[in-house]
Amino acid sequence: MNAASRGQIAAVALNAAIDKTYFVDRLRVGEVNRVPTVLPLPGGKGINVAKVAAELGERVTVSGFLGGFNGRWIETALAEMGIPSRVVKVQEESRICLNIISTESGTSTELLEPGPEITAAQADEYLALFSDLARQSKVVALSGSLPRGLAPDFYARLVKLAKAEGAAVIVDTSGGALKEAIAAVPDVLKPNVHELAQLTGRTYDTVEDVFGEIQRLMENGIRAVLVTLGADGTAAGIDGKLYRVEPVPVEVVNPVGCGDAFVAGAAAGIVRDLGPRGLLALAAACATANALNPGVGEIRREQVESLLPRIVVKEVG
């Protein structure tokens, strides 16, 4: 998939967060839980994409809204990671998201704050900033929920702006924002199977059912549809052809952020002009590497390199 000749990835994080992961032996509902291990990181889906892309060695910029003390902490933490940011500052606090992992059962419980409410003036300020950033970027990744105050078509507006500036656009969101974004015809769509079912109101009992939906979306002009299936791997369609990515069995430490790591790998695959098989292999390797680490959106490049030969990508139609 060729886009512009530029190498930059813009990772859009409109509803950025401080991601705090609590590791407990067992979550006891209704009781006092002492947390022996806490891992705070800048987060939100777009920032997770940026962290993974940066670890892969790609040039990436985070863009979105940041507010209050939490926003300043996020901006500083990103800078310490070597990830630049271009944001609109707001007064209300950026959110904190908690992920409570039981080391006994391996279950993950998430508590997600809503984040700040964005005004019309702040939205317009961001649109101008975004257009300039998209002009400098080869790939724009739009990930996660919309903050309060933004209309469901806000991602669709960003898709149109990015395409007008010559950037390839990846969309990973859900609900009304996903429906509106699809109408704007992004280059790449990355829902998981549950988000796809929520969008269409259909039940996907088999991978063949998923492939049918992928074909319908491609017929509407979307070049690549990448549907992650959790432990069952990925069903994908790229430029009219269908692909199945088989999962690599690993001992999962933290499943949260695997979809974001997949998006980062796909964005890097576009930047590197890897072609469909190479893009899917890199995306799947990044998602698997994320599952091996305690942090959200945390990988190591050597993990990805060791996983890549184990990723099986089959063309199925």
Side-chain angles (χ1 to χ4, degrees), residues 46-108:
I47 288 179
N48 296 336
V49 170
K51 290 186 293 187
V52 173
E55 177 62 23
L56 290 175
E58 299 298 335
R59 292 189 301 114
V60 59
T61 298
V62 167
S63 180
F65 302 95
L66 291 179
F69 172 84
N70 292 344
R72 291 191 295 274
W73 188 94
I74 292 167
E75 191 172 31
T76 299
L78 286 171
E80 290 173 351
M81 294 177 177
I83 301 174
S85 57
R86 292 186 62 186
V87 301
V88 171
K89 300 289 181 67
V90 301
Q91 288 186 335
E92 290 189 36
E93 289 286 342
S94 292
R95 60 192 180 139
I96 295 176
C97 295
L98 300 181
N99 177 22
I100 306 169
I101 293 179
S102 168
T103 55
E104 184 180 278
S105 65
T107 58
S108 169

Side-chain angles (χ1 to χ4, degrees), residues 118-129:
I118 306 303
T119 67
Q122 290 164 344
D124 289 341
E125 183 181 353
Y126 182 75
L127 290 172
L129 180 156

Side-chain angles (χ1 to χ4, degrees), residues 101-242:
I101 293 179
S102 168
T103 55
E104 184 180 278
S105 65
T107 58
S108 169
T109 302
E110 293 186 88
L111 302 173
L112 310 179
E113 294 183 2
E117 184 164 1
I118 306 303
T119 67
Q122 290 164 344
D124 289 341
E125 183 181 353
Y126 182 75
L127 290 172
L129 180 156
F130 176 83
S131 291
D132 183 61
L133 182 60
R135 194 174 304 122
Q136 304 170 41
S137 303
K138 184 171 183 179
V139 184
V140 172
L142 308 177
S143 304
S145 61
L146 293 173
R148 292 175 299 154
L150 295 184
D153 70 345
F154 197 77
Y155 273 146
R157 296 173 70 183
L158 297 185
V159 170
K160 293 173 183 177
L161 286 172
K163 291 174 69 175
E165 297 296 347
V169 189
I170 304 174
V171 171
D172 179 17
T173 187
S174 60
L178 176 59
K179 182 178 180 179
E180 295 283 353
I182 288 173
V185 194
D187 298 274
V188 182
L189 197 66
K190 206 294 302 170
N192 62 42
V193 68
H194 304 295
E195 291 163 344
L196 192 65
Q198 181 188 40
L199 173 73
T200 63
R202 299 188 178 100
T203 300
Y204 301 102
D205 296 319
T206 67
V207 176
E208 287 69 27
D209 293 337
V210 177
F211 279 130
E213 193 63 51
I214 288 172
Q215 287 178 313
R216 282 188 284 273
L217 288 164
M218 287 195 294
E219 287 167 2
N220 289 332
I222 299 174
R223 290 187 59 190
V225 183
L226 319 176
V227 182
T228 49
L229 309 171
D232 292 324
T234 303
I238 300 177
D239 290 332
K241 296 183 179 180
L242 300 176

